[in-house]
Amino acid sequence: MRIDKLLANIGFGSRKDVKKMLKTGVVKADGEIIKDPKTHVNPEEQNVTVNGEKIEYKEFVYLLMNKPAGYLSATEDEFQETVLDLLEMEDAVYQPFPVGRLDKDTEGLLLLTNDGQLSHQLLSPKKHVPKTYFAVILGEVTEEDSKAFSKGVELDDGYVTKPAKLEILSSGNQSTIHITITEGKYHQVKRMFEAVGKKVTYLKRISMGPIILDEEELKIGEYRELTEDEIEALRQAQPIDL
Ligand code: URA
């Protein structure tokens, strides 16, 4: 890759800025000063440094975030904060995007990556991996609801959902549940409860395929890179029938 493109990609400014920087002789590859912006380097094999500091280049970034309420799952918005506003510059320069969406008021597990292929694989209807949510529901959630969800319920637009697994954790005027779905329709969980006459008052995603949110490790608003094993597990993730 051309040195100017590489340095611009990882946040050293525009190609013009990088060209100026190169002229000052601060960039080296394997100890040799590079001044020509057209020079090709391989950051995985060569030791590329700027002011003596080795640059870390990777093509893809894979992040696991514990999303707070109040942020849009989008890459930009004119007026509202997006989950990208929670990223450090060193991660934002890779231009990751959210893998699917969580509503603004939904919390919990959100993957961000710039690997379009993996994102597509995780979200494509045929390969959709299961996603589990914890929710607080206004109203008494019953075994009837579990049965209805296991068959699929009709949403307000006439769409009948695929079978979903509902586990009742506590039931009363206010109930708590876990629900696992294999689709990603707009406001799906909220609309499924509306279909049985109940209202979701709090929603948090706790797992997506093989990735489970550990809230001890990742406090709300925090994120970390996925490990190699987790990325591989996501690549291997298979759709399941509930
Ligand atoms: N279902 C919803 O209703 N909202 C979300 O954010 C995710 C699933």
Side-chain angles (χ1 to χ4, degrees), residues 1-23 27-29 34-43 48-50 55 57:
M1 179 186 287
R2 276 175 59 143
I3 188 74
D4 57 348
K5 181 158 191 257
L6 171 77
L7 294 175
N9 278 1
I10 59 173
F12 282 97
S14 66
R15 289 231 196 158
K16 212 166 147 197
D17 298 330
V18 169
K19 200 171 166 187
K20 273 193 212 149
M21 184 170 87
L22 286 165
K23 272 198 188 145
V27 180
K28 290 183 185 171
I34 303 183
K35 288 196 169 177
D36 182 353
K38 292 200 280 301
T39 310
H40 277 255
V41 291
N42 181 344
V48 181
T49 59
V50 176
I55 60 130
Y57 180 77

Side-chain angles (χ1 to χ4, degrees), residues 40-175:
H40 277 255
V41 291
N42 181 344
E44 278 165 43
E45 284 173 12
Q46 289 175 284
N47 181 29
V48 181
T49 59
V50 176
N51 278 322
E53 276 205 36
K54 185 167 166 44
I55 60 130
E56 296 294 338
Y57 180 77
K58 50 198 169 194
E59 188 177 5
F60 294 123
V61 71
Y62 303 89
L63 306 172
L64 166 62
M65 176 183 283
N66 186 352
K67 176 192 174 295
Y71 288 81
L72 294 182
S73 298
T75 50
E76 54 186 3
D77 190 88
E78 218 179 320
F79 304 109
Q80 303 187 65
E81 287 193 292
T82 76
V83 288
L84 291 198
D85 293 317
L86 296 164
L87 300 185
E88 300 287 341
M89 194 55 189
E90 65 193 53
D91 299 304
V93 289
Y94 290 100
Q95 301 185 316
F97 49 84
V99 178
R101 279 166 187 263
L102 288 180
D103 296 338
K104 186 176 170 189
D105 60 356
T106 301
E107 296 180 355
L109 187 157
L110 184 67
L111 299 178
L112 296 121
T113 184
N114 54 355
D115 181 343
Q117 202 182 338
L118 182 65
S119 172
H120 177 74
Q121 183 192 322
L122 294 170
L123 298 177
S124 84
K126 275 199 196 129
K127 291 203 129 186
H128 220 118
V129 298
K131 292 171 294 187
T132 301
Y133 297 81
F134 166 83
V136 179
I137 311 295
L138 191 60
E140 187 175 352
V141 179
T142 62
E143 287 306 326
E144 295 279 288
D145 299 328
S146 290
K147 272 195 205 125
F149 282 12
S150 72
K151 293 194 185 107
V153 287
E154 186 174 337
L155 302 183
D156 46 9
D157 58 0
Y159 175 78
V160 178
T161 63
K162 287 194 187 148
K165 194 172 136 210
L166 177 62
E167 189 191 344
I168 302 168
L169 304 174
S170 68
S171 185
N173 293 339
Q174 179 172 283
S175 310

